[in-house]
Amino acid sequence: VSDMRQGWQALGAYDEQPFSEGDKKYRRFQKKSLVAARDLEVGQVLGRDDVMFLRVQGEQEGIAPIDFTMKAEGKPLARTMHRFEQILPSDLVE
């Protein structure tokens, strides 16, 4: 029991800290988003071969790679997309 208590004490306290402005800026820059792998037509149903996951510039919240299957795969496009253009949730037909 003594060893266990020492182990927990060695781990220290965990206090969740808010992200600094620098951290937030870096996370936005590093975050990958869904983009068109080639020119896509209105109504095209998205499949894995139609998209890539790249870092994009700008402040718009895109679709994260982890969310592709649930939020975008198998859904038709609401507008024409050009290669490397970021695909937003508003670009998909629900």
Side-chain angles (χ1 to χ4, degrees):
V1 172
S2 176
D3 288 343
M4 290 294 291
R5 288 187 178 136
Q6 285 179 347
W8 281 108
Q9 220 172 11
L11 290 174
Y14 176 77
D15 294 327
E16 193 170 308
Q17 299 293 320
F19 290 116
S20 69
E21 286 305 312
D23 290 337
K24 290 176 186 176
K25 183 178 177 182
Y26 181 76
R27 287 173 63 89
R28 278 193 300 270
F29 170 73
Q30 290 297 328
K31 191 172 184 178
K32 290 188 178 184
S33 185
L34 191 65
V35 299
R38 61 178 183 278
D39 291 345
L40 302 170
E41 297 297 321
V42 160
Q44 172 147 357
V45 176
L46 285 182
R48 182 60 186 95
D49 293 337
D50 300 320
V51 299
M52 295 185 290
F53 304 101
L54 302 174
R55 288 188 304 211
V56 294
Q57 293 183 351
E59 298 295 320
Q60 291 185 324
E61 188 71 27
I63 300 170
I66 196 166
D67 294 329
F68 171 69
T69 304
M70 196 166 53
K71 294 184 178 179
E73 189 171 33
K75 293 191 178 177
L77 288 172
R79 66 181 187 92
T80 298
M81 307 291 299
H82 297 288
R83 186 174 187 205
F84 298 122
E85 188 175 355
Q86 183 180 18
I87 301 172
L88 303 173
S90 61
D91 296 326
L92 303 173
V93 176
E94 288 297 322

